[in-house]
Amino acid sequence: MDPILTIVAGATILTVIGIMSGGTFLLRIASRGLPFNGLQKTFFRAGHAHAGVLVLLGLVSLLLVSAVGVPAPWQWAAVGVLASALLIPGGFFLSVLGRDPQRPGRAIALLWTGVVVLAASLLAVGIGVIVAGVSAL
């Protein structure tokens, strides 16, 4: 694996500490009844869940493209999956900040940007893995 991608993978593993603290925050909302409305609670849960799943998907993508021998420039597509792990949860969290928002704010654009980045990155990772497999036949 490219040394920079190895550093990215290590840094990504460290972000799981932040995801864990997000789980503690959600637990405090549920158990102490912190003053958040239903929209905020729903978006906080969704942001937390997406962060965890997308970090894992990004790490698996990094390892997979490296393991099957996808050419180095194409391995960077896996970083796009990791970028979506920031953008999508960021859109969920930041779009409902404030006192009693009734609908998501403009930061919801981060979520949709993350969806596009995720789709394009997964397309590139998937094609890269298939091409590496076909080349190995």
PDB file of all heavy atoms in Angstrom, residues 21-50:
ATOM      1  N   SER A  21     -17.275   8.785  20.982  1.00  0.00           N
ATOM      2  CA  SER A  21     -17.774   9.888  21.812  1.00  0.00           C
ATOM      3  C   SER A  21     -19.133  10.356  21.317  1.00  0.00           C
ATOM      4  O   SER A  21     -19.961  10.803  22.107  1.00  0.00           O
ATOM      5  CB  SER A  21     -16.770  11.035  21.854  1.00  0.00           C
ATOM      6  OG  SER A  21     -16.652  11.643  20.589  1.00  0.00           O
ATOM      7  N   GLY A  22     -19.377  10.230  20.025  1.00  0.00           N
ATOM      8  CA  GLY A  22     -20.709  10.525  19.493  1.00  0.00           C
ATOM      9  C   GLY A  22     -21.755   9.577  20.051  1.00  0.00           C
ATOM     10  O   GLY A  22     -22.891   9.967  20.327  1.00  0.00           O
ATOM     11  N   GLY A  23     -21.369   8.331  20.245  1.00  0.00           N
ATOM     12  CA  GLY A  23     -22.287   7.367  20.849  1.00  0.00           C
ATOM     13  C   GLY A  23     -22.606   7.741  22.287  1.00  0.00           C
ATOM     14  O   GLY A  23     -23.739   7.599  22.751  1.00  0.00           O
ATOM     15  N   THR A  24     -21.605   8.250  22.996  1.00  0.00           N
ATOM     16  CA  THR A  24     -21.826   8.716  24.369  1.00  0.00           C
ATOM     17  C   THR A  24     -22.790   9.904  24.370  1.00  0.00           C
ATOM     18  O   THR A  24     -23.678   9.996  25.221  1.00  0.00           O
ATOM     19  CB  THR A  24     -20.484   9.115  25.015  1.00  0.00           C
ATOM     20  OG1 THR A  24     -19.598   8.010  24.935  1.00  0.00           O
ATOM     21  CG2 THR A  24     -20.652   9.527  26.451  1.00  0.00           C
ATOM     22  N   PHE A  25     -22.619  10.794  23.412  1.00  0.00           N
ATOM     23  CA  PHE A  25     -23.522  11.944  23.275  1.00  0.00           C
ATOM     24  C   PHE A  25     -24.961  11.476  23.036  1.00  0.00           C
ATOM     25  O   PHE A  25     -25.894  11.974  23.666  1.00  0.00           O
ATOM     26  CB  PHE A  25     -23.033  12.827  22.121  1.00  0.00           C
ATOM     27  CG  PHE A  25     -23.974  13.930  21.747  1.00  0.00           C
ATOM     28  CD1 PHE A  25     -24.179  15.007  22.602  1.00  0.00           C
ATOM     29  CD2 PHE A  25     -24.645  13.913  20.536  1.00  0.00           C
ATOM     30  CE1 PHE A  25     -25.037  16.038  22.248  1.00  0.00           C
ATOM     31  CE2 PHE A  25     -25.504  14.925  20.178  1.00  0.00           C
ATOM     32  CZ  PHE A  25     -25.700  15.988  21.036  1.00  0.00           C
ATOM     33  N   LEU A  26     -25.135  10.499  22.143  1.00  0.00           N
ATOM     34  CA  LEU A  26     -26.479   9.969  21.887  1.00  0.00           C
ATOM     35  C   LEU A  26     -27.078   9.323  23.129  1.00  0.00           C
ATOM     36  O   LEU A  26     -28.280   9.448  23.387  1.00  0.00           O
ATOM     37  CB  LEU A  26     -26.437   8.958  20.735  1.00  0.00           C
ATOM     38  CG  LEU A  26     -26.222   9.527  19.351  1.00  0.00           C
ATOM     39  CD1 LEU A  26     -26.054   8.408  18.334  1.00  0.00           C
ATOM     40  CD2 LEU A  26     -27.367  10.432  18.954  1.00  0.00           C
ATOM     41  N   LEU A  27     -26.252   8.646  23.891  1.00  0.00           N
ATOM     42  CA  LEU A  27     -26.724   8.030  25.133  1.00  0.00           C
ATOM     43  C   LEU A  27     -27.191   9.099  26.126  1.00  0.00           C
ATOM     44  O   LEU A  27     -28.221   8.940  26.777  1.00  0.00           O
ATOM     45  CB  LEU A  27     -25.619   7.170  25.737  1.00  0.00           C
ATOM     46  CG  LEU A  27     -25.977   6.349  26.964  1.00  0.00           C
ATOM     47  CD1 LEU A  27     -27.118   5.376  26.634  1.00  0.00           C
ATOM     48  CD2 LEU A  27     -24.767   5.567  27.443  1.00  0.00           C
ATOM     49  N   ARG A  28     -26.450  10.207  26.197  1.00  0.00           N
ATOM     50  CA  ARG A  28     -26.855  11.301  27.085  1.00  0.00           C
ATOM     51  C   ARG A  28     -28.173  11.916  26.624  1.00  0.00           C
ATOM     52  O   ARG A  28     -29.002  12.296  27.449  1.00  0.00           O
ATOM     53  CB  ARG A  28     -25.765  12.369  27.155  1.00  0.00           C
ATOM     54  CG  ARG A  28     -24.578  11.926  27.982  1.00  0.00           C
ATOM     55  CD  ARG A  28     -23.647  13.070  28.374  1.00  0.00           C
ATOM     56  NE  ARG A  28     -23.519  14.131  27.414  1.00  0.00           N
ATOM     57  CZ  ARG A  28     -22.426  14.385  26.694  1.00  0.00           C
ATOM     58  NH1 ARG A  28     -21.364  13.630  26.822  1.00  0.00           N
ATOM     59  NH2 ARG A  28     -22.394  15.390  25.864  1.00  0.00           N
ATOM     60  N   ILE A  29     -28.366  12.042  25.327  1.00  0.00           N
ATOM     61  CA  ILE A  29     -29.637  12.572  24.811  1.00  0.00           C
ATOM     62  C   ILE A  29     -30.780  11.665  25.235  1.00  0.00           C
ATOM     63  O   ILE A  29     -31.819  12.129  25.706  1.00  0.00           O
ATOM     64  CB  ILE A  29     -29.601  12.698  23.266  1.00  0.00           C
ATOM     65  CG1 ILE A  29     -28.679  13.825  22.845  1.00  0.00           C
ATOM     66  CG2 ILE A  29     -31.006  12.936  22.714  1.00  0.00           C
ATOM     67  CD1 ILE A  29     -28.479  13.908  21.343  1.00  0.00           C
ATOM     68  N   ALA A  30     -30.590  10.362  25.087  1.00  0.00           N
ATOM     69  CA  ALA A  30     -31.654   9.410  25.381  1.00  0.00           C
ATOM     70  C   ALA A  30     -31.926   9.286  26.880  1.00  0.00           C
ATOM     71  O   ALA A  30     -33.076   9.224  27.300  1.00  0.00           O
ATOM     72  CB  ALA A  30     -31.306   8.042  24.801  1.00  0.00           C
ATOM     73  N   SER A  31     -30.869   9.261  27.690  1.00  0.00           N
ATOM     74  CA  SER A  31     -31.068   8.978  29.113  1.00  0.00           C
ATOM     75  C   SER A  31     -31.349  10.224  29.956  1.00  0.00           C
ATOM     76  O   SER A  31     -32.077  10.154  30.930  1.00  0.00           O
ATOM     77  CB  SER A  31     -29.856   8.237  29.674  1.00  0.00           C
ATOM     78  OG  SER A  31     -28.707   9.040  29.586  1.00  0.00           O
ATOM     79  N   ARG A  32     -30.798  11.345  29.573  1.00  0.00           N
ATOM     80  CA  ARG A  32     -30.972  12.552  30.378  1.00  0.00           C
ATOM     81  C   ARG A  32     -32.005  13.503  29.809  1.00  0.00           C
ATOM     82  O   ARG A  32     -32.260  14.554  30.383  1.00  0.00           O
ATOM     83  CB  ARG A  32     -29.644  13.287  30.525  1.00  0.00           C
ATOM     84  CG  ARG A  32     -28.624  12.492  31.297  1.00  0.00           C
ATOM     85  CD  ARG A  32     -27.374  13.298  31.488  1.00  0.00           C
ATOM     86  NE  ARG A  32     -26.328  12.455  32.059  1.00  0.00           N
ATOM     87  CZ  ARG A  32     -25.053  12.717  31.971  1.00  0.00           C
ATOM     88  NH1 ARG A  32     -24.637  13.793  31.337  1.00  0.00           N
ATOM     89  NH2 ARG A  32     -24.170  11.914  32.510  1.00  0.00           N
ATOM     90  N   GLY A  33     -32.544  13.162  28.658  1.00  0.00           N
ATOM     91  CA  GLY A  33     -33.554  14.031  28.068  1.00  0.00           C
ATOM     92  C   GLY A  33     -33.041  15.413  27.724  1.00  0.00           C
ATOM     93  O   GLY A  33     -33.692  16.409  28.008  1.00  0.00           O
ATOM     94  N   LEU A  34     -31.859  15.494  27.131  1.00  0.00           N
ATOM     95  CA  LEU A  34     -31.318  16.795  26.736  1.00  0.00           C
ATOM     96  C   LEU A  34     -32.286  17.481  25.771  1.00  0.00           C
ATOM     97  O   LEU A  34     -33.000  16.826  25.021  1.00  0.00           O
ATOM     98  CB  LEU A  34     -29.933  16.617  26.105  1.00  0.00           C
ATOM     99  CG  LEU A  34     -28.840  16.128  27.044  1.00  0.00           C
ATOM    100  CD1 LEU A  34     -27.540  15.923  26.285  1.00  0.00           C
ATOM    101  CD2 LEU A  34     -28.622  17.089  28.189  1.00  0.00           C
ATOM    102  N   PRO A  35     -32.295  18.810  25.776  1.00  0.00           N
ATOM    103  CA  PRO A  35     -33.325  19.554  25.040  1.00  0.00           C
ATOM    104  C   PRO A  35     -33.102  19.607  23.526  1.00  0.00           C
ATOM    105  O   PRO A  35     -32.767  20.655  22.971  1.00  0.00           O
ATOM    106  CB  PRO A  35     -33.239  20.946  25.662  1.00  0.00           C
ATOM    107  CG  PRO A  35     -31.805  21.077  26.068  1.00  0.00           C
ATOM    108  CD  PRO A  35     -31.403  19.698  26.507  1.00  0.00           C
ATOM    109  N   PHE A  36     -33.300  18.495  22.865  1.00  0.00           N
ATOM    110  CA  PHE A  36     -33.227  18.454  21.410  1.00  0.00           C
ATOM    111  C   PHE A  36     -34.574  18.009  20.883  1.00  0.00           C
ATOM    112  O   PHE A  36     -35.246  17.178  21.496  1.00  0.00           O
ATOM    113  CB  PHE A  36     -32.133  17.484  20.939  1.00  0.00           C
ATOM    114  CG  PHE A  36     -30.741  17.947  21.288  1.00  0.00           C
ATOM    115  CD1 PHE A  36     -30.034  17.344  22.311  1.00  0.00           C
ATOM    116  CD2 PHE A  36     -30.156  18.988  20.595  1.00  0.00           C
ATOM    117  CE1 PHE A  36     -28.764  17.771  22.647  1.00  0.00           C
ATOM    118  CE2 PHE A  36     -28.890  19.421  20.920  1.00  0.00           C
ATOM    119  CZ  PHE A  36     -28.184  18.819  21.939  1.00  0.00           C
ATOM    120  N   ASN A  37     -34.978  18.545  19.742  1.00  0.00           N
ATOM    121  CA  ASN A  37     -36.271  18.146  19.191  1.00  0.00           C
ATOM    122  C   ASN A  37     -36.142  16.836  18.415  1.00  0.00           C
ATOM    123  O   ASN A  37     -35.052  16.293  18.246  1.00  0.00           O
ATOM    124  CB  ASN A  37     -36.879  19.271  18.334  1.00  0.00           C
ATOM    125  CG  ASN A  37     -36.118  19.537  17.049  1.00  0.00           C
ATOM    126  OD1 ASN A  37     -35.397  18.688  16.540  1.00  0.00           O
ATOM    127  ND2 ASN A  37     -36.290  20.733  16.495  1.00  0.00           N
ATOM    128  N   GLY A  38     -37.258  16.330  17.938  1.00  0.00           N
ATOM    129  CA  GLY A  38     -37.277  15.049  17.238  1.00  0.00           C
ATOM    130  C   GLY A  38     -36.413  15.037  15.990  1.00  0.00           C
ATOM    131  O   GLY A  38     -35.741  14.043  15.701  1.00  0.00           O
ATOM    132  N   LEU A  39     -36.444  16.125  15.227  1.00  0.00           N
ATOM    133  CA  LEU A  39     -35.616  16.202  14.010  1.00  0.00           C
ATOM    134  C   LEU A  39     -34.134  16.102  14.368  1.00  0.00           C
ATOM    135  O   LEU A  39     -33.391  15.353  13.738  1.00  0.00           O
ATOM    136  CB  LEU A  39     -35.893  17.516  13.265  1.00  0.00           C
ATOM    137  CG  LEU A  39     -35.039  17.785  12.037  1.00  0.00           C
ATOM    138  CD1 LEU A  39     -35.348  16.774  10.933  1.00  0.00           C
ATOM    139  CD2 LEU A  39     -35.234  19.207  11.540  1.00  0.00           C
ATOM    140  N   GLN A  40     -33.712  16.834  15.383  1.00  0.00           N
ATOM    141  CA  GLN A  40     -32.314  16.792  15.788  1.00  0.00           C
ATOM    142  C   GLN A  40     -31.914  15.395  16.251  1.00  0.00           C
ATOM    143  O   GLN A  40     -30.861  14.889  15.861  1.00  0.00           O
ATOM    144  CB  GLN A  40     -32.058  17.810  16.893  1.00  0.00           C
ATOM    145  CG  GLN A  40     -32.093  19.244  16.400  1.00  0.00           C
ATOM    146  CD  GLN A  40     -32.025  20.238  17.535  1.00  0.00           C
ATOM    147  OE1 GLN A  40     -32.739  20.106  18.520  1.00  0.00           O
ATOM    148  NE2 GLN A  40     -31.165  21.238  17.389  1.00  0.00           N
ATOM    149  N   LYS A  41     -32.736  14.780  17.066  1.00  0.00           N
ATOM    150  CA  LYS A  41     -32.411  13.433  17.550  1.00  0.00           C
ATOM    151  C   LYS A  41     -32.287  12.449  16.390  1.00  0.00           C
ATOM    152  O   LYS A  41     -31.357  11.644  16.342  1.00  0.00           O
ATOM    153  CB  LYS A  41     -33.474  12.956  18.538  1.00  0.00           C
ATOM    154  CG  LYS A  41     -33.420  13.665  19.860  1.00  0.00           C
ATOM    155  CD  LYS A  41     -34.518  13.185  20.784  1.00  0.00           C
ATOM    156  CE  LYS A  41     -34.528  13.979  22.081  1.00  0.00           C
ATOM    157  NZ  LYS A  41     -35.598  13.558  22.985  1.00  0.00           N
ATOM    158  N   THR A  42     -33.214  12.532  15.445  1.00  0.00           N
ATOM    159  CA  THR A  42     -33.182  11.637  14.292  1.00  0.00           C
ATOM    160  C   THR A  42     -31.929  11.867  13.453  1.00  0.00           C
ATOM    161  O   THR A  42     -31.259  10.917  13.052  1.00  0.00           O
ATOM    162  CB  THR A  42     -34.445  11.836  13.436  1.00  0.00           C
ATOM    163  OG1 THR A  42     -35.586  11.561  14.239  1.00  0.00           O
ATOM    164  CG2 THR A  42     -34.441  10.942  12.216  1.00  0.00           C
ATOM    165  N   PHE A  43     -31.601  13.120  13.200  1.00  0.00           N
ATOM    166  CA  PHE A  43     -30.423  13.425  12.390  1.00  0.00           C
ATOM    167  C   PHE A  43     -29.136  13.075  13.127  1.00  0.00           C
ATOM    168  O   PHE A  43     -28.169  12.637  12.510  1.00  0.00           O
ATOM    169  CB  PHE A  43     -30.438  14.897  11.955  1.00  0.00           C
ATOM    170  CG  PHE A  43     -31.152  15.122  10.651  1.00  0.00           C
ATOM    171  CD1 PHE A  43     -32.425  14.627  10.426  1.00  0.00           C
ATOM    172  CD2 PHE A  43     -30.544  15.834   9.639  1.00  0.00           C
ATOM    173  CE1 PHE A  43     -33.079  14.836   9.224  1.00  0.00           C
ATOM    174  CE2 PHE A  43     -31.179  16.046   8.426  1.00  0.00           C
ATOM    175  CZ  PHE A  43     -32.452  15.543   8.217  1.00  0.00           C
ATOM    176  N   PHE A  44     -29.092  13.279  14.441  1.00  0.00           N
ATOM    177  CA  PHE A  44     -27.896  12.900  15.199  1.00  0.00           C
ATOM    178  C   PHE A  44     -27.679  11.392  15.129  1.00  0.00           C
ATOM    179  O   PHE A  44     -26.563  10.916  14.947  1.00  0.00           O
ATOM    180  CB  PHE A  44     -27.999  13.348  16.656  1.00  0.00           C
ATOM    181  CG  PHE A  44     -27.953  14.838  16.870  1.00  0.00           C
ATOM    182  CD1 PHE A  44     -28.428  15.379  18.043  1.00  0.00           C
ATOM    183  CD2 PHE A  44     -27.435  15.702  15.914  1.00  0.00           C
ATOM    184  CE1 PHE A  44     -28.382  16.753  18.265  1.00  0.00           C
ATOM    185  CE2 PHE A  44     -27.386  17.071  16.110  1.00  0.00           C
ATOM    186  CZ  PHE A  44     -27.861  17.605  17.302  1.00  0.00           C
ATOM    187  N   ARG A  45     -28.751  10.623  15.259  1.00  0.00           N
ATOM    188  CA  ARG A  45     -28.627   9.158  15.159  1.00  0.00           C
ATOM    189  C   ARG A  45     -28.150   8.745  13.767  1.00  0.00           C
ATOM    190  O   ARG A  45     -27.279   7.891  13.630  1.00  0.00           O
ATOM    191  CB  ARG A  45     -29.979   8.494  15.453  1.00  0.00           C
ATOM    192  CG  ARG A  45     -30.320   8.426  16.888  1.00  0.00           C
ATOM    193  CD  ARG A  45     -31.611   7.630  17.114  1.00  0.00           C
ATOM    194  NE  ARG A  45     -32.115   7.879  18.433  1.00  0.00           N
ATOM    195  CZ  ARG A  45     -33.285   8.436  18.711  1.00  0.00           C
ATOM    196  NH1 ARG A  45     -34.110   8.762  17.751  1.00  0.00           N
ATOM    197  NH2 ARG A  45     -33.654   8.635  19.948  1.00  0.00           N
ATOM    198  N   ALA A  46     -28.760   9.348  12.743  1.00  0.00           N
ATOM    199  CA  ALA A  46     -28.389   9.003  11.368  1.00  0.00           C
ATOM    200  C   ALA A  46     -26.934   9.373  11.087  1.00  0.00           C
ATOM    201  O   ALA A  46     -26.196   8.612  10.453  1.00  0.00           O
ATOM    202  CB  ALA A  46     -29.321   9.699  10.378  1.00  0.00           C
ATOM    203  N   GLY A  47     -26.508  10.533  11.551  1.00  0.00           N
ATOM    204  CA  GLY A  47     -25.115  10.952  11.343  1.00  0.00           C
ATOM    205  C   GLY A  47     -24.140  10.015  12.020  1.00  0.00           C
ATOM    206  O   GLY A  47     -23.114   9.634  11.440  1.00  0.00           O
ATOM    207  N   HIS A  48     -24.470   9.622  13.229  1.00  0.00           N
ATOM    208  CA  HIS A  48     -23.606   8.708  13.976  1.00  0.00           C
ATOM    209  C   HIS A  48     -23.508   7.343  13.278  1.00  0.00           C
ATOM    210  O   HIS A  48     -22.415   6.797  13.106  1.00  0.00           O
ATOM    211  CB  HIS A  48     -24.144   8.547  15.402  1.00  0.00           C
ATOM    212  CG  HIS A  48     -23.345   7.646  16.259  1.00  0.00           C
ATOM    213  ND1 HIS A  48     -22.078   7.957  16.695  1.00  0.00           N
ATOM    214  CD2 HIS A  48     -23.619   6.429  16.770  1.00  0.00           C
ATOM    215  CE1 HIS A  48     -21.621   6.971  17.430  1.00  0.00           C
ATOM    216  NE2 HIS A  48     -22.531   6.017  17.498  1.00  0.00           N
ATOM    217  N   ALA A  49     -24.643   6.817  12.865  1.00  0.00           N
ATOM    218  CA  ALA A  49     -24.660   5.505  12.199  1.00  0.00           C
ATOM    219  C   ALA A  49     -23.902   5.552  10.879  1.00  0.00           C
ATOM    220  O   ALA A  49     -23.110   4.649  10.576  1.00  0.00           O
ATOM    221  CB  ALA A  49     -26.099   5.058  11.966  1.00  0.00           C
ATOM    222  N   HIS A  50     -24.129   6.592  10.093  1.00  0.00           N
ATOM    223  CA  HIS A  50     -23.431   6.698   8.811  1.00  0.00           C
ATOM    224  C   HIS A  50     -21.926   6.846   9.010  1.00  0.00           C
ATOM    225  O   HIS A  50     -21.143   6.299   8.234  1.00  0.00           O
ATOM    226  CB  HIS A  50     -23.986   7.862   7.990  1.00  0.00           C
ATOM    227  CG  HIS A  50     -25.265   7.535   7.301  1.00  0.00           C
ATOM    228  ND1 HIS A  50     -26.481   7.603   7.931  1.00  0.00           N
ATOM    229  CD2 HIS A  50     -25.510   7.114   6.040  1.00  0.00           C
ATOM    230  CE1 HIS A  50     -27.428   7.243   7.084  1.00  0.00           C
ATOM    231  NE2 HIS A  50     -26.872   6.928   5.927  1.00  0.00           N
TER     232      HIS A  50
END
